[in-house]
Amino acid sequence: MAGHLRERLSNAIHALLVVLIAVAIAFLSTRFGFVQDWSRTHSASLGAESVALLKSLDAPIEVVSYARKQGGLRAVIADFVDRYRRVKPDLSLRFVDPDADPNAMRAAGVTVDGELAVRYKERSERLKVLSEAEFSNALLRLSRTRERIVAFLEGEGERQPLGKANADLGQFVATLADRGLRAVPLPLANTGKVPENADLVVIANPQVKVPAAVAAELVDYVDRGGALLWLIEPGENTGFDDLANTLGIRVLPGTVVDGSGQAFGLGDPSFVAVDHYPKHAITQDFALTTLFPQPAAIAQLAGTRWAMQSILRSSAKSWNETGHIPKAGEAGDTIRQDADAGEIAGPLDLGFALTRVSPRPDKHEQRVAVIGDGDFLSNSFLGNGGNREFGQRVFDWLLGDDAQIAVADKSAPDRELKLSQAALTALAVAFLIALPLLLAGSGALIWWRRRRR
């Protein structure tokens, strides 16, 4: 009897110890975490480049996600951000429900569920794509400390960099300010010369012909090695012929219309949507669709001193319409390409990136971008697709801030099954012919045996 009691007491103590150990482990798990990525490609961990970048950042990072409460998007974002938080504990994540105040979200330019705002040292950047490459490169750009001066030509009816009118660039310039760029006016008609401290000059659609002295100074500025962004609109006659010749470009007559816009839900063929981009540093890994209202096509002249590369191109269903320009809601099939009128079938180039060895001793390379549309960065159209992000990439490239963190592809190597045509034929015969015949034969055999009993 005593032995049986001791055995029961020993079992009870053993069970109590097991429970206490389980409780202790559960308690410690709330205080200490342990994460280990055992996947073959380490797809749940950050790359070495991202880890090194995070360790170099000496201030907290704040991330705000505009994700709805419904669905599982918040959990996906939280899991993604946790990869960064494990390396940098002072990284915080906060969620804002865009449905709680839709007007405030529209005013803030939030257009995508789950859009991220990343802030570091009083600078911020917005992301619409959730990936390590996008997130780490945003942190890399925000970590750059030197302020850049961007001078916007003014005095001839250009788009105002700080204006709030539909055609102005106020919203986009505000995003540049968040990223350490300072926009200043450039009244060349009064000053006569581009300041030496200007890192970039922007020509944003003058409405009247500029004075000859202004045009000459801009040509001289380019000849001296200055960086330039030229936004062009169809039919402009603003006195920049010498600048176009210096850059080796020609603006084609008319307005580009594109019949492929219906696939994007566009009822106006003069609104060109682009979702495939020529290979360039500006367009590297860029997967967002951009919208260009009534753009102009640009052609490259022979014998130019520049290395030119297209960065924007319309589809094969486009051409430069020199006659009737369709209005919003007008069917695209009401117009046709007229080769006799000089209309050229697409694809047509809408933007070029130009480079050459810089004449300045302190610069290795001179960069210029020419885009046949200025509306895509205006207050009216900035929120469409990836317009804002594409514009930021153009500015980053022109200012030499296009260095990116290369994130290795972490996809599983066995996601695709590659078979020869003979193997595919054999599988088709096996599953579509042989297997049904085998099943039918076995059924007939079973039926025949039952009939014999």
Side-chain angles (χ1 to χ4, degrees):
M1 185 69 178
H4 183 64
L5 182 61
R6 283 196 301 270
E7 181 179 357
R8 293 183 62 182
L9 181 61
S10 176
N11 291 338
I13 294 174
H14 182 266
L16 180 61
L17 288 174
V18 170
V19 171
L20 290 175
I21 292 173
V23 172
I25 293 175
F27 173 78
L28 292 174
S29 68
T30 63
R31 297 293 186 271
F32 305 97
F34 174 74
V35 177
Q36 184 67 37
D37 185 2
W38 289 345
S39 61
R40 179 177 178 180
T41 59
H42 299 286
S43 56
S45 304
L46 295 180
E49 298 83 358
S50 297
V51 172
L53 171 64
L54 289 172
K55 291 182 178 180
S56 70
L57 302 179
D58 57 0
I61 302 171
E62 179 186 0
V63 180
V64 179
S65 173
Y66 300 94
R68 294 182 172 88
K69 294 181 178 179
Q70 298 80 7
L73 185 56
R74 288 193 172 189
V76 172
I77 294 173
D79 179 68
F80 173 82
V81 174
D82 277 343
R83 302 178 189 179
Y84 287 82
R85 186 182 288 141
R86 288 196 290 267
V87 180
K88 188 170 177 58
D90 58 351
L91 187 152
S92 63
L93 172 64
R94 177 168 59 91
F95 287 102
V96 174
D97 188 357
D99 293 333
D101 192 349
N103 292 329
M105 295 300 101
R106 282 192 292 270
V110 176
T111 59
V112 176
D113 187 20
E115 188 168 333
L116 300 179
V118 184
R119 177 169 289 274
Y120 176 75
K121 286 187 175 180
E122 304 304 321
R123 295 182 179 179
S124 65
E125 188 166 337
R126 298 273 278 278
L127 301 177
K128 293 182 180 179
V129 178
L130 190 67
S131 71
E132 181 182 343
E134 292 288 335
F135 196 93
S136 295
N137 282 309
L139 291 177
L140 177 63
R141 290 188 291 269
L142 293 175
S143 66
R144 294 170 180 144
T145 57
R146 190 174 80 83
E147 185 180 57
R148 303 301 184 93
I149 305 298
V150 181
F152 286 78
L153 183 67
E154 73 167 16
E156 316 303 331
E158 295 85 357
R159 301 175 188 271
Q160 294 299 306
L162 302 178
K164 298 181 180 180
N166 291 338
D168 290 335
L169 307 175
Q171 294 181 17
F172 179 70
V173 170
T175 67
L176 297 182
D178 288 339
R179 303 166 83 240
L181 278 68
R182 181 159 64 94
V184 298
L186 178 60
L188 269 185
N190 298 330
T191 63
K193 194 173 182 63
V194 177
E196 292 296 329
N197 66 338
D199 295 290
L200 173 66
V201 169
V202 179
I203 305 174
N205 317 123
Q207 299 299 303
V208 297
K209 193 170 183 178
V210 300
V214 171
E217 167 56 19
L218 289 171
V219 171
D220 189 53
Y221 166 76
V222 171
D223 288 338
R224 297 195 304 266
L228 176 72
L229 171 60
W230 187 6
L231 303 176
I232 301 173
E233 290 289 346
E236 281 188 353
N237 182 20
T238 51
F240 288 130
D241 293 342
D242 289 342
L243 179 60
N245 291 331
T246 297
L247 299 176
I249 65 166
R250 181 171 71 90
V251 181
L252 298 182
T255 301
V256 176
V257 295
D258 197 333
S260 65
Q262 294 180 353
F264 300 94
L266 298 176
D268 188 342
S270 67
F271 280 48
V272 179
V274 180
D275 64 344
H276 290 84
Y277 304 87
K279 289 185 177 180
H280 188 267
I282 293 175
T283 59
Q284 180 181 346
D285 299 324
F286 189 68
L288 299 175
T289 300
T290 45
L291 179 68
F292 300 90
Q294 299 187 347
I298 305 171
Q300 177 181 353
L301 299 179
T304 178
R305 299 173 296 169
W306 299 81
M308 300 182 63
Q309 191 169 348
S310 176
I311 56 174
L312 289 171
R313 190 170 289 153
S314 62
S315 77
K317 296 183 179 180
S318 64
W319 69 90
N320 58 316
E321 175 63 40
T322 60
H324 170 67
I325 303 300
K327 299 179 181 178
E330 185 175 350
D333 55 7
T334 60
I335 55 174
R336 292 286 187 275
Q337 179 199 354
D338 185 359
D340 294 334
E343 296 176 356
I344 303 173
L348 298 173
D349 292 312
L350 308 179
F352 279 106
L354 294 73
T355 59
R356 68 176 180 181
V357 176
S358 177
R360 296 176 51 175
D362 60 329
K363 296 285 186 179
H364 171 69
E365 184 178 64
Q366 182 182 5
R367 296 180 175 183
V368 172
V370 182
I371 299 177
D373 179 55
D375 288 311
F376 82 103
L377 293 181
S378 68
N379 296 334
S380 293
F381 299 102
L382 184 65
N384 287 274
N387 285 17
R388 176 189 284 106
E389 289 75 12
F390 185 82
Q392 290 173 346
R393 282 172 170 252
V394 171
F395 274 77
D396 286 340
W397 180 77
L398 288 169
L399 293 167
D401 289 340
D402 57 317
Q404 296 187 14
I405 292 176
V407 177
D409 182 14
K410 296 182 179 181
S411 57
D414 55 353
R415 291 182 307 164
E416 297 182 2
L417 179 63
K418 295 184 179 180
L419 299 175
S420 65
Q421 187 59 46
L424 291 174
T425 302
L427 285 175
V429 171
F431 283 98
L432 299 179
I433 300 176
L435 184 59
L437 288 177
L438 179 62
L439 294 175
S442 63
L445 179 62
I446 294 173
W447 173 80
W448 179 73
R449 286 182 174 181
R450 288 180 176 177
R451 285 289 303 269
R452 292 187 61 188
R453 292 177 182 174

